[in-house]
Amino acid sequence: VNTPEGREGSLTADDFQVFENGDLMEITSVQFPDTSSRTKLDLAILFDETGSMSEEIADMKARVNELTDAIDSANIDSRYMLISFRDSLTVRQGWTSDPSLIKQAVDSLEADGGDDAPEVNLDAIETALEMGFRSDAQHMIIDITDDLTHYRGDGSPFSQYIISETAENLLNNGTSFVLVGPTTVSGAFNEQNDKRELVKALGGSGLFIDIHGEEFSTILNNIQGIITHTYTLGYYSPKQTADGSKRTVRVVVPPDEDSGQYTAIAR
């Protein structure tokens, strides 16, 4: 909640509305993090290291290192992971709480290869999800690329996923997704290869930053906002059976009607 009252932690149940499958629910609890205590963040960094990134990679590496420094100095209990990708992917650094290890892994990246434009970006996202996030931490993926993504059915054997599936998996895992990507590419964008469509599908948990334009510091502001301005709302579902069914949960913050819509799985 990015309002003065929201940042202060002064909102109550009366300041929210929660709908499940369109029906208004009764909010039973509202929690706001104690900003004086350590909060937790699991941050997976996905990095395109193909040859087309040669002009951006030095600057992006520096920005990522600045980001990890800022997170560390902000008294956030953080873990980091780094995955690089071309037409295949490599886990450069598994989960670590040591900022120096993730910075060493980032510094070792080199822009080379990947001549066919699309890369296995969706597969890198899915690999990060499979490696697991702490249940009591904020989950975030930062995806840095300057090109299209391969997808299942694009005529190549490289990818096993499509955008709608990956969006659902991110939502089900409660993972925020930050795309640092291009607004134009040498090939043609479509709904299957443009990860901005993934950001759109995620609603409030997705963010797009132009790799050639906006300040990278926007990412840090977003991370700090997600961690320090997040309210946890509780309610009882009228259908509490753990049957694997999907429910659409919409959270509204009146009077401006800012809202976020999510998919919940009954487990």
Side-chain angles (χ1 to χ4, degrees), residues 1-5 15 17 250-259:
V1 180
N2 192 22
T3 66
E5 297 82 3
D15 297 302
Q17 291 177 328
R250 183 166 175 255
V251 181
V252 181
V253 188
D256 296 330
E257 300 300 313
D258 289 336
S259 67

Side-chain angles (χ1 to χ4, degrees), residues 54-85:
S54 58
E55 294 184 5
E56 292 92 1
I57 197 165
D59 182 58
M60 288 295 106
K61 285 161 66 172
R63 300 290 79 77
V64 169
N65 285 336
E66 290 173 2
L67 177 63
T68 56
D69 285 341
I71 292 172
D72 187 49
S73 64
N75 200 36
I76 297 172
D77 177 3
S78 301
R79 294 196 312 169
Y80 305 94
M81 173 171 55
L82 176 66
I83 298 174
S84 65
F85 58 91

Side-chain angles (χ1 to χ4, degrees), residues 3-119:
T3 66
E5 297 82 3
R7 291 191 293 271
E8 292 170 0
S10 61
L11 301 185
T12 69
D14 293 336
D15 297 302
F16 298 94
Q17 291 177 328
V18 175
F19 299 85
E20 181 180 290
N21 292 340
D23 296 326
L24 181 65
M25 299 289 103
E26 179 183 356
I27 298 172
T28 58
S29 64
V30 177
Q31 296 179 351
F32 184 77
D34 179 0
T35 54
S36 65
S37 64
R38 291 178 65 86
T39 52
K40 294 184 178 181
L41 170 69
D42 280 356
L43 175 61
I45 302 166
L46 314 182
F47 218 118
D48 180 345
E49 60 171 345
T50 55
S52 62
M53 284 282 290
S54 58
E55 294 184 5
E56 292 92 1
I57 197 165
D59 182 58
M60 288 295 106
K61 285 161 66 172
R63 300 290 79 77
V64 169
N65 285 336
E66 290 173 2
L67 177 63
T68 56
D69 285 341
I71 292 172
D72 187 49
S73 64
N75 200 36
I76 297 172
D77 177 3
S78 301
R79 294 196 312 169
Y80 305 94
M81 173 171 55
L82 176 66
I83 298 174
S84 65
F85 58 91
R86 297 185 177 98
D87 280 341
S88 60
L89 60 88
T90 303
V91 178
R92 298 289 182 182
Q93 174 63 59
W95 286 119
T96 179
S97 57
D98 186 344
S100 66
L101 291 181
I102 196 69
K103 292 202 298 189
Q104 289 174 17
V106 170
D107 287 339
S108 70
L109 295 171
E110 296 182 359
D112 184 41
D115 296 330
D116 68 331
E119 316 304 340

Side-chain angles (χ1 to χ4, degrees), residues 162-188:
I162 59 176
I163 282 178
S164 59
E165 291 173 348
T166 298
E168 182 173 356
N169 291 337
L170 286 165
L171 287 168
N172 291 343
N173 195 59
T175 301
S176 300
F177 178 72
V178 179
L179 172 62
V180 183
T183 56
T184 60
V185 292
S186 56

Side-chain angles (χ1 to χ4, degrees), residues 66-236:
E66 290 173 2
L67 177 63
T68 56
D69 285 341
I71 292 172
D72 187 49
S73 64
N75 200 36
I76 297 172
D77 177 3
S78 301
R79 294 196 312 169
Y80 305 94
M81 173 171 55
L82 176 66
I83 298 174
S84 65
F85 58 91
R86 297 185 177 98
D87 280 341
S88 60
L89 60 88
T90 303
V91 178
R92 298 289 182 182
Q93 174 63 59
W95 286 119
T96 179
S97 57
D98 186 344
S100 66
L101 291 181
I102 196 69
K103 292 202 298 189
Q104 289 174 17
V106 170
D107 287 339
S108 70
L109 295 171
E110 296 182 359
D112 184 41
D115 296 330
D116 68 331
E119 316 304 340
V120 291
N121 206 166
L122 296 178
D123 300 70
I125 296 170
E126 296 285 354
T127 297
L129 292 174
E130 290 170 3
M131 294 184 68
F133 291 75
R134 291 177 293 180
S135 61
D136 59 345
Q138 296 284 345
H139 305 171
M140 179 171 288
I141 292 175
I142 294 179
D143 185 351
I144 303 172
T145 183
D146 68 345
D147 225 320
L148 312 169
T149 183
H150 279 300
Y151 59 91
R152 188 178 70 245
D154 68 355
S156 79
F158 297 118
S159 182
Q160 305 301 313
Y161 300 96
I162 59 176
I163 282 178
S164 59
E165 291 173 348
T166 298
E168 182 173 356
N169 291 337
L170 286 165
L171 287 168
N172 291 343
N173 195 59
T175 301
S176 300
F177 178 72
V178 179
L179 172 62
V180 183
T183 56
T184 60
V185 292
S186 56
F189 275 132
N190 61 51
E191 292 184 354
Q192 296 295 328
N193 63 24
D194 184 354
K195 288 189 306 303
R196 289 176 296 179
E197 295 297 322
L198 178 58
V199 173
K200 292 178 186 177
L202 294 175
S205 58
L207 174 69
F208 173 72
I209 294 176
D210 184 356
I211 192 172
H212 302 298
E214 298 181 50
E215 291 292 329
F216 198 86
S217 59
T218 304
I219 296 176
L220 179 59
N221 294 336
N222 182 260
I223 291 173
Q224 290 176 328
I226 287 173
I227 292 175
T228 60
H229 308 161
T230 296
Y231 288 76
T232 302
L233 309 179
Y235 75 94
Y236 288 103

